[in-house]
Amino acid sequence: MTASSALPVAFVDDDAVLREANAQTLRLAGFEPFLFESAVEALKAIDERFPGVVITDLRMPRIDGMELFRTLRARDPDLPVIMITGHGDIATAVEAMREGAYDFLPKPFASDRLIQSVRRATEKRALVMENRRLRQAAEEAHAPSPLLGDAPAMERLRETLKAVADADVDVMIVGETGTGKELVADQLHHLGRRRSGRFVALNCGALPETVLESELFGHESGAFTGALKKRVGLIEHSSGGTLFLDEIESMPLSAQARLLRVLEQREITPLGSNTARQVDLRVVAAAKSDLGSSAHKASFREDLFHRLNVVTLRIPPLRERQEDVPLLFAVYLDRACRRFQREVPMLTPAVRHHLASHDWPGNVREIVHFAERVVLGLAEIDLAATGKASPPSAGPQGASLPERLERYEADLIREVLTQHKGDVRASLEALGIPRKTFYDKLTKYGINRASFEAGEP
C-alpha cells in the first residue's frame, strides 16, 4: 500500500459497483480507500501494522465476512472492523459485535452513516497506533545499548555499528585495555544477520603458539604428539557466525600467515589433513593500538593488517570522554548494589574527588571495579592508603545518587571556573568535555560564567 497523509480504509466486497460507489464516498470525506474484491486478497495485504479501518461485506464467496473478521482479529485484536449486512444477516452481525467487531451497517445505508462510523473507528485506531509507538519508545529508552555514554565519539560508534552490522566484511577494533572491545564485537554480531550463528571469542595472547594454531585451525587425530582425537578448530566452529580474535597483535607470524590464507580463500585445512573445508566466516579482530603503525612492522604482517582493516572501529579511552564518567559510575554502582544486595552508599568526598580527577587508565573495566569496591566499602580504604585529597562533602544525606552526582558536577564546574577565572578554553581543557556540553551544563545548573571573570562566583 502506498504512503499517504489520508487515513487508509480497506473496503472488501465482491460487488464491484458497491465498491466503487463507496470508494468515491470515502475519498470525498478525506479517506484513502483500498479496494478488495475478496477476503483472500484482503488477508494478503492487511496485518497488525495496518494503520486504518476495515469495512467488509458479510456474504462473500470462499471466505465470508465473519471468517475474515475472526482472522483479522487474531492478527490484531485492536483493528476496527465494520460489517456490512443484509436484512437477513443482522443476527450474525450482532454476534460479530459481541466478538469485538467495531460496528455494522445494514443495507441500504446512507453515506453519512458510513462516514460517521469510519471517522470514529479511525480515531480509535490512531490512538491505538500512537500508544504502540509510545510503548515501543519507552521500552527502547529503558533498554539502552550496552555501549554506554553520551559523548559524541560513543554516538558515532553506535551509529557505525548499526551501519556495518549487516555488511559481510571483516572488522578491526582498536581500543585500550578495558574499553570494551569484546562488548563491541558482541554488539556487531547480534545487530547483524549472523546473530543466529555462534559468537566465538579467542584471546590470542593467552595461549602458546602450538596450542593457538591447534585451537584456531583444528587438527586430525595423530597430527602431532598428544593429538589423540580429531578437534574442530574455532575458525570452523564459528562458520555461519562471528570469530572474535582479541589481542591479535600477539598472534605468532606463522599463525598470521595461515589466517591470511583462510581469510582470502574462505577455507580451512586442519593440521594433519590434506582436505580443505569451506567456511562462512566473519572475523572481528581487536588490538590495543594501530597495527598499521611502524611499531608493529616487524611483528605483524602488513598484508594481514590490510585484509582485516576493511572497517576500523576505534573505542575512545575514558579520559577522552570524561563527561561519561558520572553516567557510567551511576549505572555500575546500581548493578553492584543489586549484585551484592546492598543499599546505595553515600559518596564520600574522597570518592567524588576520585571520580572527577582520575584519568581511568583501566577505562570502563576500572570504573566497574571501582563501583564494586565503593559498594563493598573498600574504595575509601584504597583512597586513604594512597593519600588522595578530597573536596567538600557531597551534600545532604537524603539526596539520591543522581542528585548527588549532579550536585558534585556543578560544584566541580564552579571550582574549575574559579581556578581559571572564567576562561572557557582553559576550563574546557581541565574538564575534558566538548564546548556544547560545557554550555549545556552551565544552563542546567544556572551557572553564570561571566561572574567568575569578575571573581564573584
Side-chain angles (χ1 to χ4, degrees), residues 26 32 57 77 153 191 215 231 242 268 275 287 364 376 380 390 439 445:
L26 290 166
E32 182 180 13
D57 192 13
L191 288 172
E215 285 288 309
R231 177 179 178 81
T242 301
I268 184 75
T275 305
V364 178
L376 294 173
E380 189 73 20
S390 59
Y439 282 107
Y445 299 124

Side-chain angles (χ1 to χ4, degrees), residues 100 128 182 193 218 222 239 251-252 272 328 345 366 379 384:
V128 166
E182 184 166 352
R193 64 177 184 82
S239 185
M251 181 179 285
L328 290 166
E366 183 181 358

Side-chain angles (χ1 to χ4, degrees), residues 170-376:
D170 299 322
V171 176
M172 175 68 75
I173 300 173
V174 179
E176 295 178 5
T177 298
T179 50
K181 295 186 288 293
E182 184 166 352
L183 180 60
V184 170
D186 183 73
Q187 279 289 286
L188 190 64
H189 172 76
H190 284 97
L191 288 172
R193 64 177 184 82
R194 290 178 174 268
R195 67 177 69 90
S196 58
R198 297 185 185 92
F199 178 80
V200 180
L202 174 68
N203 188 321
C204 299
L207 297 173
E209 181 174 350
T210 53
V211 177
L212 176 66
E213 293 209 26
S214 176
E215 285 288 309
L216 269 178
F217 305 103
H219 63 256
E220 298 294 329
S221 175
F224 51 85
T225 303
L228 301 179
K229 60 181 181 180
K230 175 181 176 179
R231 177 179 178 81
V232 174
L234 294 181
I235 292 176
E236 189 172 357
H237 184 62
S238 67
S239 185
T242 301
L243 176 64
F244 174 58
L245 298 176
D246 198 7
E247 295 189 26
I248 196 170
E249 68 271 24
S250 303
M251 181 179 285
L253 287 168
S254 59
Q256 291 179 35
R258 294 196 65 188
L259 177 61
L260 176 63
R261 180 173 176 80
V262 170
L263 295 178
E264 290 176 339
Q265 304 295 328
R266 275 352 196 208
E267 62 182 28
I268 184 75
T269 306
L271 297 172
S273 173
N274 294 320
T275 305
R277 294 196 279 268
Q278 294 294 314
V279 288
D280 174 17
L281 187 65
R282 183 187 208 180
V283 172
V284 179
K288 296 186 187 72
S289 57
D290 181 13
L291 296 181
S293 66
S294 57
H296 294 285
K297 289 285 185 184
S299 60
F300 200 84
R301 293 180 63 110
E302 187 176 0
D303 47 4
L304 177 57
F305 166 72
H306 289 301
R307 187 64 184 79
L308 289 169
N309 198 40
V310 179
V311 174
T312 297
L313 302 176
R314 182 181 179 273
I315 310 176
L318 206 49
R319 64 181 176 276
E320 293 182 6
R321 53 184 186 110
Q322 283 281 0
E323 67 266 40
D324 286 337
V325 169
L327 167 66
L328 290 166
F329 179 72
V331 168
Y332 292 118
L333 189 74
D334 177 66
R335 292 182 186 177
C337 288
R338 286 186 275 112
R339 176 186 172 190
F340 299 123
Q341 297 183 345
R342 303 276 185 99
E343 294 295 323
V344 176
M346 288 298 299
L347 299 188
T348 65
V351 168
R352 293 169 55 236
H353 181 67
H354 186 71
L355 286 170
S357 60
H358 192 53
D359 63 1
W360 306 101
N363 294 294
V364 178
R365 184 181 299 155
E366 183 181 358
I367 209 168
V368 171
H369 294 161
F370 182 68
E372 291 174 348
R373 295 183 72 78
V374 168
V375 171
L376 294 173

Side-chain angles (χ1 to χ4, degrees), residues 70-100:
R70 286 171 176 158
T71 303
L72 291 175
R73 183 165 175 76
R75 291 180 181 179
D76 183 355
D78 297 318
L79 178 63
V81 178
I82 299 171
M83 315 291 290
I84 299 175
T85 66
H87 181 71
D89 299 319
I90 291 180
T92 305
V94 171
E95 180 187 351
M97 292 282 287
R98 289 198 188 102
E99 292 185 24

Side-chain angles (χ1 to χ4, degrees), residues 18-214:
L18 190 64
R19 282 200 311 274
E20 290 301 328
N22 283 286
Q24 184 176 3
T25 299
L26 290 166
R27 287 192 191 96
L28 290 172
F31 299 101
E32 182 180 13
F34 293 92
L35 307 182
F36 302 97
E37 65 178 358
S38 70
V40 175
E41 286 187 358
L43 288 172
K44 291 177 182 177
I46 302 170
D47 58 19
E48 71 280 358
R49 295 168 296 180
F50 182 66
V53 176
V54 176
I55 304 172
T56 178
D57 192 13
L58 194 57
R59 291 195 178 187
M60 293 185 294
R62 294 181 62 187
I63 298 177
D64 64 19
M66 193 68 178
E67 187 177 349
L68 172 62
F69 158 67
R70 286 171 176 158
T71 303
L72 291 175
R73 183 165 175 76
R75 291 180 181 179
D76 183 355
D78 297 318
L79 178 63
V81 178
I82 299 171
M83 315 291 290
I84 299 175
T85 66
H87 181 71
D89 299 319
I90 291 180
T92 305
V94 171
E95 180 187 351
M97 292 282 287
R98 289 198 188 102
E99 292 185 24
Y102 182 78
D103 197 1
F104 75 91
L105 303 175
K107 296 177 182 177
F109 51 84
S111 58
D112 59 345
R113 173 73 176 86
L114 170 70
I115 297 305
Q116 184 182 37
S117 181
V118 171
R119 282 216 169 97
R120 290 198 309 268
T122 52
E123 288 172 3
K124 176 185 176 182
R125 185 60 172 169
L127 286 173
V128 166
M129 299 304 284
E130 179 61 23
N131 285 337
R132 287 180 183 176
R133 283 191 290 270
L134 290 173
R135 282 198 300 270
Q136 183 180 355
E139 288 171 3
E140 290 174 354
H142 287 88
S145 165
L147 300 173
L148 299 170
D150 298 324
M154 294 304 293
E155 291 283 356
R156 288 193 298 271
L157 177 59
R158 287 190 289 266
E159 289 302 314
T160 305
L161 278 174
K162 292 177 186 176
V164 303
D166 273 328
D168 229 0
V169 294
D170 299 322
V171 176
M172 175 68 75
I173 300 173
V174 179
E176 295 178 5
T177 298
T179 50
K181 295 186 288 293
E182 184 166 352
L183 180 60
V184 170
D186 183 73
Q187 279 289 286
L188 190 64
H189 172 76
H190 284 97
L191 288 172
R193 64 177 184 82
R194 290 178 174 268
R195 67 177 69 90
S196 58
R198 297 185 185 92
F199 178 80
V200 180
L202 174 68
N203 188 321
C204 299
L207 297 173
E209 181 174 350
T210 53
V211 177
L212 176 66
E213 293 209 26
S214 176

